[in-house]
Amino acid sequence: MHVTKEVAEYVVGSRYDDIPDDVRNEALRAIVNIVGCAVGGAREPAADIAIQTFRPFFGPATASIVGRADKADPLHAALINGITSHVHDYDDTLPKNYIHASSPVASALLAYASVNPVSGRDFLHAFILGFEITSRVGNATYPAHYEAGWHSTGSCGVFGAAVAIGKLLGLNSSQMVHAIGLAATQAAGIREMFGSMAKSLHPGRAAQNGYGAALLASNGFTAGIYGLEGPRGFAPVLSAKYDLSKLTAGLGKDFDLRVNTYKPFPCGIVNHPSIDAAIQLKQEYGLTADMIKRVKIRVAPLVMDLCGKRNITKGLEGKFSVVHGTAVGLVRGKAGLSEYTDEAVNDPDIKRVRDSVTPEADSSVTEDGVKMEVELVDGRVVSKVLEHSLGNLARPMTNAQLEEKFRDQVGLVLPASQTEKLLERCWKVAELKNVGEELVAISIPPA
C-alpha cells in the first residue's frame, strides 16, 4: 500500500465541481461555526499570552489574526487563530473520532488568505479537503490512538492543514507526498492537557506546522514518502491498532462533513447529554439549588475518561467535568460561556450541587445519552432519560441556532453591524472574490 501517495494524488486531482452540493453546504455551516468561535475566543488570556510571548519572534507582520487588531507573520497568525478558535471548546466535533477538524484547517487557511489572494471557491474547496483528510487520518487510527492519550485534533489536524495549504499553493503529487510526510513528523498533542490553555495550543500548532509543511514542500524540502503507512510512519508509531483502508475507502465520494456536529455548549461534547438533561429537569420542575439533595447520573464509560474532573477551581477545568456540567444545568438552566468561568466554577450554589453529583459509568448508556436521577430535599425524586443530546446527529443544530451562537460569540468582540456583515460573508464565502479582503478583514475589531 502507498496510502500517502494515494491521498496526495486525490487532493491534487480534486476539483471544486467534484464536491457534492450537500457537502459544500455543510462546509458553509462549519465555516460559520468556526469563524464565530475564533472571533469569540480572540480576547481570551491564552491568546494574549501567546501573542505577547511570541511577538519578539514574529517575522514581517503581514497577516491578520481573526478577531484581533494585532498582525503577525502568516505562520504565527495560523497559530493564534488555532488557539482562539478552540479555547472555548465550542468548535465542531466529529462524534466518530472526537476530532475538531475545522479548527486546525480553517486557522491555517484564514491566515494564508489574509496575505494571499484566494477566491471563495478555492478557499471552500481547500477547507473541505483538509477537513476530510484530518478526519480520515483520525478514523484510521481511532480508537487506539485516542485511547493512548493523543489529542487527535492536534495530531491528525496537522495533516488537514498541510493538504489544505498545499492545495492552495498548487503542489504537485510528489510535493504533496512530502507535505504529508512533513506533517507526520510534526504530529503532536496529548490529552493530559485537557482543562488547560495547552489544549488550545494543539490545533494552533497543527495549523502552524501544517502550513509550514506545505511551504517547505513547495520549495523542495523533502520527507519520507511513506509518512502515514511506513513501518516507522504515523499510524504504526502512534497507534497500537490502525486500519489504513479507512483513509482511502470511498475517497472523493464519502465525506465526513456529512457527519459533523456543532456544539450548543462550550465544553467536552460527552458532557452535553448530562447538561441537556439537567436543563430539561430544571425547566420541568422549577428546580433551584436549595431544592437539590443529591444527583445520580449514569453515563457512557468514555465520559468518565474524558470528563471525570471533580476538584476543580478553574473555568477551563469545568469544561472537562461532567459533574460541573450537570450542576450548572440544574442551577442556572443553561451552560454558556459564562458557566465556564472561574467565577462560575467557584459559585457556592454550583459548587454545592456539583459536590452532590455522583456519576457512574454504565456501558449500556451511549455516548450521546444519560440517565439522571435527582433527589430533592422534600423527598421527591425526579428523573430524565435522554437518548440523544442537542447538537448531535439525531438532534442537529439548525442554521438559525448556529447564527444565534455566532452572534453570542462574535458580539463579545465586534459591534452588531460588523457581526452581521461577517455572518453574511461566512454564509456566502463561495461567492467571494478575495477571502482576505472580504471576510478576514471584516473580522478585525474597530480601532
Side-chain angles (χ1 to χ4, degrees), residues 418-430:
Q418 197 171 346
T419 296
E420 293 303 315
K421 182 177 287 188
L422 180 61
L423 177 59
E424 179 185 12
R425 296 285 173 85
C426 288
W427 281 123
K428 295 183 177 180
V429 66

Side-chain angles (χ1 to χ4, degrees), residues 126-256:
F127 173 80
I128 292 168
L129 295 174
F131 186 105
E132 186 67 19
I133 298 309
T134 295
S135 184
R136 282 173 173 266
V137 173
N139 294 341
T141 55
Y142 186 84
H145 178 69
Y146 194 74
E147 290 175 346
W150 295 101
H151 183 204
S152 303
T153 297
S155 57
C156 301
V158 67
F159 295 99
V163 301
I165 297 298
K167 183 66 174 178
L168 293 183
L169 289 172
L171 301 188
N172 61 36
S173 295
S174 176
Q175 291 170 323
M176 191 68 78
V177 165
H178 292 304
I180 293 170
L182 291 165
T185 204
Q186 299 180 87
I190 53 175
R191 285 169 48 200
E192 187 64 29
M193 300 302 109
F194 285 17
S196 73
M197 291 180 184
K199 184 173 188 284
S200 66
L201 187 65
H202 299 166
R205 282 299 193 198
Q208 181 183 43
N209 292 340
Y211 192 151
L215 289 175
L216 287 169
S218 73
N219 284 292
F221 203 101
T222 64
I225 63 172
Y226 303 103
L228 289 166
E229 74 277 17
R232 303 294 186 271
F234 174 83
V237 170
L238 299 188
S239 189
K241 294 182 180 180
Y242 55 91
D243 181 358
L244 291 174
S245 70
K246 293 181 179 180
L247 250 170
T248 56
L251 194 58
K253 297 179 180 178
D254 301 325
F255 291 87
D256 277 1

Side-chain angles (χ1 to χ4, degrees), residues 405-416:
K405 175 182 172 181
F406 183 96
R407 293 184 180 102
D408 286 345
Q409 295 180 95
V410 177
L412 299 171
V413 177
L414 303 181

Side-chain angles (χ1 to χ4, degrees), residues 48-63:
D48 293 336
I49 294 169
I51 291 172
Q52 291 166 7
T53 302
F54 291 127
R55 181 177 279 122
F57 308 99
F58 287 174
T62 57

Side-chain angles (χ1 to χ4, degrees), residues 70-153:
D70 305 88
K71 283 186 173 288
D73 62 88
L75 292 181
H76 277 101
L79 168 67
I80 306 302
N81 288 343
I83 291 172
T84 63
S85 63
H86 190 61
V87 70
H88 284 157
D89 238 290
Y90 223 173
D91 44 332
D92 52 356
T93 310
L94 287 152
K96 66 194 301 182
N97 53 35
Y98 294 104
I99 292 177
H100 307 271
S102 290
S103 179
V105 177
S107 297
L109 289 173
L110 289 165
Y112 180 91
S114 74
V115 293
N116 298 282
V118 180
S119 72
R121 280 169 58 102
D122 289 345
F123 182 94
L124 190 65
H125 188 200
F127 173 80
I128 292 168
L129 295 174
F131 186 105
E132 186 67 19
I133 298 309
T134 295
S135 184
R136 282 173 173 266
V137 173
N139 294 341
T141 55
Y142 186 84
H145 178 69
Y146 194 74
E147 290 175 346
W150 295 101
H151 183 204
S152 303
T153 297

